[in-house]
Structure formats: structure tokens, C-alpha cells
PDB file of all heavy atoms in Angstrom:
ATOM      1  N   LEU C   1     248.537 -62.880  56.929  1.00  0.00           N
ATOM      2  CA  LEU C   1     247.784 -63.829  57.663  1.00  0.00           C
ATOM      3  C   LEU C   1     247.164 -64.705  56.649  1.00  0.00           C
ATOM      4  O   LEU C   1     246.838 -64.347  55.559  1.00  0.00           O
ATOM      5  CB  LEU C   1     246.696 -63.197  58.516  1.00  0.00           C
ATOM      6  CG  LEU C   1     247.079 -62.222  59.652  1.00  0.00           C
ATOM      7  CD1 LEU C   1     245.821 -61.764  60.304  1.00  0.00           C
ATOM      8  CD2 LEU C   1     248.000 -62.954  60.552  1.00  0.00           C
ATOM      9  N   SER C   2     247.090 -66.023  57.056  1.00  0.00           N
ATOM     10  CA  SER C   2     246.315 -67.041  56.160  1.00  0.00           C
ATOM     11  C   SER C   2     245.436 -67.867  57.102  1.00  0.00           C
ATOM     12  O   SER C   2     245.444 -67.663  58.318  1.00  0.00           O
ATOM     13  CB  SER C   2     247.420 -67.960  55.492  1.00  0.00           C
ATOM     14  OG  SER C   2     248.217 -68.653  56.531  1.00  0.00           O
ATOM     15  N   GLY C   3     244.573 -68.670  56.405  1.00  0.00           N
ATOM     16  CA  GLY C   3     243.716 -69.437  57.270  1.00  0.00           C
ATOM     17  C   GLY C   3     242.385 -68.743  57.424  1.00  0.00           C
ATOM     18  O   GLY C   3     241.748 -68.191  56.600  1.00  0.00           O
ATOM     19  N   ASP C   4     241.958 -68.664  58.810  1.00  0.00           N
ATOM     20  CA  ASP C   4     240.574 -68.047  59.046  1.00  0.00           C
ATOM     21  C   ASP C   4     240.684 -66.525  58.853  1.00  0.00           C
ATOM     22  O   ASP C   4     241.837 -65.872  58.844  1.00  0.00           O
ATOM     23  CB  ASP C   4     240.308 -68.302  60.592  1.00  0.00           C
ATOM     24  CG  ASP C   4     239.893 -69.732  60.744  1.00  0.00           C
ATOM     25  OD1 ASP C   4     239.686 -70.485  59.738  1.00  0.00           O
ATOM     26  OD2 ASP C   4     239.678 -70.098  61.936  1.00  0.00           O
ATOM     27  N   ASP C   5     239.572 -65.960  58.478  1.00  0.00           N
ATOM     28  CA  ASP C   5     239.424 -64.491  58.230  1.00  0.00           C
ATOM     29  C   ASP C   5     239.804 -63.760  59.457  1.00  0.00           C
ATOM     30  O   ASP C   5     239.260 -63.913  60.536  1.00  0.00           O
ATOM     31  CB  ASP C   5     238.040 -64.152  57.740  1.00  0.00           C
ATOM     32  CG  ASP C   5     237.944 -62.726  57.243  1.00  0.00           C
ATOM     33  OD1 ASP C   5     238.976 -62.210  56.931  1.00  0.00           O
ATOM     34  OD2 ASP C   5     236.808 -62.269  57.127  1.00  0.00           O
ATOM     35  N   ALA C   6     240.723 -62.791  59.332  1.00  0.00           N
ATOM     36  CA  ALA C   6     241.222 -62.047  60.493  1.00  0.00           C
ATOM     37  C   ALA C   6     242.044 -60.789  59.933  1.00  0.00           C
ATOM     38  O   ALA C   6     242.413 -60.835  58.747  1.00  0.00           O
ATOM     39  CB  ALA C   6     242.113 -62.830  61.376  1.00  0.00           C
ATOM     40  N   GLU C   7     242.285 -59.939  60.856  1.00  0.00           N
ATOM     41  CA  GLU C   7     243.092 -58.750  60.472  1.00  0.00           C
ATOM     42  C   GLU C   7     244.106 -58.278  61.622  1.00  0.00           C
ATOM     43  O   GLU C   7     243.723 -58.465  62.849  1.00  0.00           O
ATOM     44  CB  GLU C   7     242.303 -57.573  60.015  1.00  0.00           C
ATOM     45  CG  GLU C   7     241.429 -56.960  61.196  1.00  0.00           C
ATOM     46  CD  GLU C   7     240.731 -55.676  60.671  1.00  0.00           C
ATOM     47  OE1 GLU C   7     241.414 -54.891  60.023  1.00  0.00           O
ATOM     48  OE2 GLU C   7     239.601 -55.503  61.085  1.00  0.00           O
ATOM     49  N   VAL C   8     245.228 -57.812  61.307  1.00  0.00           N
ATOM     50  CA  VAL C   8     246.187 -57.344  62.363  1.00  0.00           C
ATOM     51  C   VAL C   8     245.822 -55.940  62.811  1.00  0.00           C
ATOM     52  O   VAL C   8     245.526 -55.112  61.993  1.00  0.00           O
ATOM     53  CB  VAL C   8     247.565 -57.424  61.779  1.00  0.00           C
ATOM     54  CG1 VAL C   8     248.544 -56.907  62.767  1.00  0.00           C
ATOM     55  CG2 VAL C   8     248.023 -58.862  61.274  1.00  0.00           C
ATOM     56  N   THR C   9     245.701 -55.754  64.044  1.00  0.00           N
ATOM     57  CA  THR C   9     245.347 -54.456  64.514  1.00  0.00           C
ATOM     58  C   THR C   9     246.497 -53.666  65.350  1.00  0.00           C
ATOM     59  O   THR C   9     246.370 -52.518  65.479  1.00  0.00           O
ATOM     60  CB  THR C   9     244.178 -54.507  65.567  1.00  0.00           C
ATOM     61  OG1 THR C   9     244.498 -55.390  66.640  1.00  0.00           O
ATOM     62  CG2 THR C   9     242.909 -55.068  64.864  1.00  0.00           C
ATOM     63  N   ASP C  10     247.532 -54.502  65.636  1.00  0.00           N
ATOM     64  CA  ASP C  10     248.664 -53.875  66.356  1.00  0.00           C
ATOM     65  C   ASP C  10     249.896 -54.814  66.317  1.00  0.00           C
ATOM     66  O   ASP C  10     249.782 -55.994  66.427  1.00  0.00           O
ATOM     67  CB  ASP C  10     248.311 -53.543  67.821  1.00  0.00           C
ATOM     68  CG  ASP C  10     249.426 -52.831  68.464  1.00  0.00           C
ATOM     69  OD1 ASP C  10     249.678 -51.606  68.102  1.00  0.00           O
ATOM     70  OD2 ASP C  10     250.047 -53.361  69.502  1.00  0.00           O
ATOM     71  N   VAL C  11     251.052 -54.094  66.150  1.00  0.00           N
ATOM     72  CA  VAL C  11     252.344 -54.827  66.275  1.00  0.00           C
ATOM     73  C   VAL C  11     253.293 -54.129  67.168  1.00  0.00           C
ATOM     74  O   VAL C  11     253.438 -52.856  66.932  1.00  0.00           O
ATOM     75  CB  VAL C  11     253.038 -54.959  64.857  1.00  0.00           C
ATOM     76  CG1 VAL C  11     254.381 -55.610  65.025  1.00  0.00           C
ATOM     77  CG2 VAL C  11     252.183 -55.864  63.938  1.00  0.00           C
ATOM     78  N   SER C  12     253.841 -54.774  68.152  1.00  0.00           N
ATOM     79  CA  SER C  12     254.671 -54.092  69.100  1.00  0.00           C
ATOM     80  C   SER C  12     255.894 -55.007  69.443  1.00  0.00           C
ATOM     81  O   SER C  12     255.754 -56.145  69.713  1.00  0.00           O
ATOM     82  CB  SER C  12     253.979 -53.567  70.392  1.00  0.00           C
ATOM     83  OG  SER C  12     253.474 -54.756  71.080  1.00  0.00           O
ATOM     84  N   ARG C  13     257.063 -54.385  69.582  1.00  0.00           N
ATOM     85  CA  ARG C  13     258.304 -55.109  69.949  1.00  0.00           C
ATOM     86  C   ARG C  13     258.683 -54.860  71.307  1.00  0.00           C
ATOM     87  O   ARG C  13     258.931 -53.703  71.695  1.00  0.00           O
ATOM     88  CB  ARG C  13     259.416 -54.752  68.970  1.00  0.00           C
ATOM     89  CG  ARG C  13     260.595 -55.694  69.042  1.00  0.00           C
ATOM     90  CD  ARG C  13     261.737 -55.229  68.092  1.00  0.00           C
ATOM     91  NE  ARG C  13     262.520 -54.156  68.599  1.00  0.00           N
ATOM     92  CZ  ARG C  13     263.701 -53.817  68.235  1.00  0.00           C
ATOM     93  NH1 ARG C  13     264.362 -54.477  67.252  1.00  0.00           N
ATOM     94  NH2 ARG C  13     264.268 -52.751  68.663  1.00  0.00           N
ATOM     95  N   SER C  14     258.717 -55.890  72.195  1.00  0.00           N
ATOM     96  CA  SER C  14     259.087 -55.669  73.649  1.00  0.00           C
ATOM     97  C   SER C  14     260.521 -55.787  73.734  1.00  0.00           C
ATOM     98  O   SER C  14     261.137 -55.320  74.735  1.00  0.00           O
ATOM     99  CB  SER C  14     258.396 -56.756  74.481  1.00  0.00           C
ATOM    100  OG  SER C  14     258.644 -58.123  74.107  1.00  0.00           O
ATOM    101  N   SER C  15     261.248 -56.473  72.847  1.00  0.00           N
ATOM    102  CA  SER C  15     262.767 -56.614  72.927  1.00  0.00           C
ATOM    103  C   SER C  15     263.162 -57.026  71.379  1.00  0.00           C
ATOM    104  O   SER C  15     262.363 -57.287  70.569  1.00  0.00           O
ATOM    105  CB  SER C  15     263.248 -57.619  73.909  1.00  0.00           C
ATOM    106  OG  SER C  15     262.893 -58.956  73.497  1.00  0.00           O
ATOM    107  N   ARG C  16     264.474 -57.072  71.206  1.00  0.00           N
ATOM    108  CA  ARG C  16     264.851 -57.530  69.895  1.00  0.00           C
ATOM    109  C   ARG C  16     264.389 -58.833  69.483  1.00  0.00           C
ATOM    110  O   ARG C  16     264.189 -59.153  68.340  1.00  0.00           O
ATOM    111  CB  ARG C  16     266.507 -57.495  69.836  1.00  0.00           C
ATOM    112  CG  ARG C  16     267.130 -56.149  69.702  1.00  0.00           C
ATOM    113  CD  ARG C  16     268.586 -56.204  69.857  1.00  0.00           C
ATOM    114  NE  ARG C  16     269.246 -57.241  69.131  1.00  0.00           N
ATOM    115  CZ  ARG C  16     269.865 -57.010  67.934  1.00  0.00           C
ATOM    116  NH1 ARG C  16     269.846 -55.848  67.454  1.00  0.00           N
ATOM    117  NH2 ARG C  16     270.320 -58.114  67.324  1.00  0.00           N
ATOM    118  N   SER C  17     264.180 -59.681  70.485  1.00  0.00           N
ATOM    119  CA  SER C  17     263.882 -61.105  70.214  1.00  0.00           C
ATOM    120  C   SER C  17     262.359 -61.530  70.444  1.00  0.00           C
ATOM    121  O   SER C  17     262.003 -62.589  70.279  1.00  0.00           O
ATOM    122  CB  SER C  17     264.775 -61.992  71.050  1.00  0.00           C
ATOM    123  OG  SER C  17     264.462 -61.855  72.562  1.00  0.00           O
ATOM    124  N   ARG C  18     261.607 -60.389  71.013  1.00  0.00           N
ATOM    125  CA  ARG C  18     260.094 -60.737  71.157  1.00  0.00           C
ATOM    126  C   ARG C  18     259.236 -59.731  70.616  1.00  0.00           C
ATOM    127  O   ARG C  18     259.509 -58.550  70.619  1.00  0.00           O
ATOM    128  CB  ARG C  18     259.921 -60.776  72.675  1.00  0.00           C
ATOM    129  CG  ARG C  18     260.468 -61.889  73.427  1.00  0.00           C
ATOM    130  CD  ARG C  18     260.198 -61.973  74.880  1.00  0.00           C
ATOM    131  NE  ARG C  18     258.750 -62.340  75.140  1.00  0.00           N
ATOM    132  CZ  ARG C  18     258.292 -63.605  75.164  1.00  0.00           C
ATOM    133  NH1 ARG C  18     258.982 -64.544  74.846  1.00  0.00           N
ATOM    134  NH2 ARG C  18     256.972 -63.744  75.523  1.00  0.00           N
ATOM    135  N   LEU C  19     258.142 -60.291  69.886  1.00  0.00           N
ATOM    136  CA  LEU C  19     257.215 -59.425  69.260  1.00  0.00           C
ATOM    137  C   LEU C  19     255.898 -59.862  69.462  1.00  0.00           C
ATOM    138  O   LEU C  19     255.613 -61.039  69.635  1.00  0.00           O
ATOM    139  CB  LEU C  19     257.435 -59.559  67.656  1.00  0.00           C
ATOM    140  CG  LEU C  19     256.594 -58.594  66.728  1.00  0.00           C
ATOM    141  CD1 LEU C  19     257.347 -57.233  66.778  1.00  0.00           C
ATOM    142  CD2 LEU C  19     256.699 -59.146  65.392  1.00  0.00           C
ATOM    143  N   ARG C  20     254.945 -58.852  69.721  1.00  0.00           N
ATOM    144  CA  ARG C  20     253.632 -59.053  69.933  1.00  0.00           C
ATOM    145  C   ARG C  20     252.697 -58.591  68.789  1.00  0.00           C
ATOM    146  O   ARG C  20     252.895 -57.464  68.325  1.00  0.00           O
ATOM    147  CB  ARG C  20     253.069 -58.492  71.295  1.00  0.00           C
ATOM    148  CG  ARG C  20     253.496 -59.085  72.582  1.00  0.00           C
ATOM    149  CD  ARG C  20     253.052 -58.423  73.714  1.00  0.00           C
ATOM    150  NE  ARG C  20     253.313 -59.160  75.011  1.00  0.00           N
ATOM    151  CZ  ARG C  20     253.019 -58.720  76.194  1.00  0.00           C
ATOM    152  NH1 ARG C  20     252.384 -57.672  76.320  1.00  0.00           N
ATOM    153  NH2 ARG C  20     253.376 -59.414  77.253  1.00  0.00           N
ATOM    154  N   VAL C  21     251.823 -59.496  68.383  1.00  0.00           N
ATOM    155  CA  VAL C  21     251.050 -59.167  67.314  1.00  0.00           C
ATOM    156  C   VAL C  21     249.595 -59.354  67.696  1.00  0.00           C
ATOM    157  O   VAL C  21     249.164 -60.475  68.242  1.00  0.00           O
ATOM    158  CB  VAL C  21     251.175 -60.093  66.003  1.00  0.00           C
ATOM    159  CG1 VAL C  21     250.300 -59.793  64.918  1.00  0.00           C
ATOM    160  CG2 VAL C  21     252.646 -60.157  65.544  1.00  0.00           C
ATOM    161  N   THR C  22     248.717 -58.293  67.608  1.00  0.00           N
ATOM    162  CA  THR C  22     247.408 -58.403  68.026  1.00  0.00           C
ATOM    163  C   THR C  22     246.480 -58.519  66.730  1.00  0.00           C
ATOM    164  O   THR C  22     246.620 -57.920  65.814  1.00  0.00           O
ATOM    165  CB  THR C  22     246.876 -57.069  68.806  1.00  0.00           C
ATOM    166  OG1 THR C  22     247.720 -56.929  69.935  1.00  0.00           O
ATOM    167  CG2 THR C  22     245.503 -57.251  69.318  1.00  0.00           C
ATOM    168  N   ILE C  23     245.517 -59.521  66.828  1.00  0.00           N
ATOM    169  CA  ILE C  23     244.752 -59.929  65.699  1.00  0.00           C
ATOM    170  C   ILE C  23     243.306 -59.868  66.071  1.00  0.00           C
ATOM    171  O   ILE C  23     242.899 -60.400  67.215  1.00  0.00           O
ATOM    172  CB  ILE C  23     245.202 -61.353  65.217  1.00  0.00           C
ATOM    173  CG1 ILE C  23     246.666 -61.418  64.696  1.00  0.00           C
ATOM    174  CG2 ILE C  23     244.254 -61.856  64.122  1.00  0.00           C
ATOM    175  CD1 ILE C  23     247.177 -62.802  64.548  1.00  0.00           C
ATOM    176  N   ARG C  24     242.477 -59.365  65.200  1.00  0.00           N
ATOM    177  CA  ARG C  24     241.057 -59.333  65.335  1.00  0.00           C
ATOM    178  C   ARG C  24     240.442 -60.315  64.445  1.00  0.00           C
ATOM    179  O   ARG C  24     240.497 -60.151  63.257  1.00  0.00           O
ATOM    180  CB  ARG C  24     240.385 -58.005  65.324  1.00  0.00           C
ATOM    181  CG  ARG C  24     238.812 -57.956  65.526  1.00  0.00           C
ATOM    182  CD  ARG C  24     238.352 -56.510  65.596  1.00  0.00           C
ATOM    183  NE  ARG C  24     238.480 -55.851  64.250  1.00  0.00           N
ATOM    184  CZ  ARG C  24     238.916 -54.652  64.241  1.00  0.00           C
ATOM    185  NH1 ARG C  24     239.212 -53.934  65.282  1.00  0.00           N
ATOM    186  NH2 ARG C  24     239.017 -53.930  63.101  1.00  0.00           N
ATOM    187  N   LEU C  25     239.725 -61.483  64.979  1.00  0.00           N
ATOM    188  CA  LEU C  25     239.082 -62.379  64.111  1.00  0.00           C
ATOM    189  C   LEU C  25     237.791 -61.747  63.596  1.00  0.00           C
ATOM    190  O   LEU C  25     237.263 -60.763  64.070  1.00  0.00           O
ATOM    191  CB  LEU C  25     238.697 -63.532  64.895  1.00  0.00           C
ATOM    192  CG  LEU C  25     239.966 -64.314  65.525  1.00  0.00           C
ATOM    193  CD1 LEU C  25     239.506 -65.669  66.225  1.00  0.00           C
ATOM    194  CD2 LEU C  25     240.974 -64.646  64.625  1.00  0.00           C
ATOM    195  N   ALA C  26     237.217 -62.357  62.511  1.00  0.00           N
ATOM    196  CA  ALA C  26     236.160 -61.931  61.975  1.00  0.00           C
ATOM    197  C   ALA C  26     234.891 -62.080  62.874  1.00  0.00           C
ATOM    198  O   ALA C  26     234.883 -62.823  63.783  1.00  0.00           O
ATOM    199  CB  ALA C  26     235.780 -62.715  60.630  1.00  0.00           C
ATOM    200  N   GLU C  27     233.904 -61.177  62.617  1.00  0.00           N
ATOM    201  CA  GLU C  27     232.708 -61.204  63.488  1.00  0.00           C
ATOM    202  C   GLU C  27     232.014 -62.595  63.441  1.00  0.00           C
ATOM    203  O   GLU C  27     231.753 -63.178  62.372  1.00  0.00           O
ATOM    204  CB  GLU C  27     231.720 -60.224  62.956  1.00  0.00           C
ATOM    205  CG  GLU C  27     230.406 -60.016  63.701  1.00  0.00           C
ATOM    206  CD  GLU C  27     229.517 -58.920  63.067  1.00  0.00           C
ATOM    207  OE1 GLU C  27     230.029 -57.752  62.807  1.00  0.00           O
ATOM    208  OE2 GLU C  27     228.235 -59.202  62.809  1.00  0.00           O
ATOM    209  N   LEU C  28     231.644 -63.050  64.601  1.00  0.00           N
ATOM    210  CA  LEU C  28     230.969 -64.402  64.651  1.00  0.00           C
ATOM    211  C   LEU C  28     229.505 -64.170  64.080  1.00  0.00           C
ATOM    212  O   LEU C  28     228.822 -63.317  64.470  1.00  0.00           O
ATOM    213  CB  LEU C  28     230.985 -64.832  66.101  1.00  0.00           C
ATOM    214  CG  LEU C  28     232.426 -64.995  66.842  1.00  0.00           C
ATOM    215  CD1 LEU C  28     232.196 -65.478  68.231  1.00  0.00           C
ATOM    216  CD2 LEU C  28     233.211 -66.003  66.020  1.00  0.00           C
ATOM    217  N   THR C  29     229.117 -65.255  63.378  1.00  0.00           N
ATOM    218  CA  THR C  29     227.797 -65.268  62.871  1.00  0.00           C
ATOM    219  C   THR C  29     227.143 -66.708  63.190  1.00  0.00           C
ATOM    220  O   THR C  29     227.823 -67.619  63.560  1.00  0.00           O
ATOM    221  CB  THR C  29     227.828 -65.114  61.314  1.00  0.00           C
ATOM    222  OG1 THR C  29     228.447 -66.234  60.700  1.00  0.00           O
ATOM    223  CG2 THR C  29     228.536 -63.797  60.948  1.00  0.00           C
TER     224      THR C  29
END
């Protein structure tokens, strides 16, 4: 990841051609 502060919490493949990436952004202040 680049840009805003964030981290990846999950990666799952629904098919060979589709991928889901779940990202948690930094705590809002």
C-alpha cells in the first residue's frame, strides 16, 4: 500500500480473475 496510512486485514480470491482486498485506514483524529 502507498498513499494514506492503512493496513491490509484480509485477502480473498472469489475466482481466478477476481480478488477482494480488505483495508483498514488509520484511526481518525
Side-chain angles (χ1 to χ4, degrees):
L1 301 180
S2 59
D4 291 351
D5 189 16
E7 66 173 320
V8 178
T9 60
D10 184 65
V11 174
S12 61
R13 193 181 75 158
S14 56
S15 68
R16 281 170 52 94
S17 62
R18 291 182 69 83
L19 186 75
R20 284 184 175 178
V21 179
T22 303
I23 298 169
R24 183 169 63 223
L25 303 185
E27 178 180 314
L28 301 179
T29 67

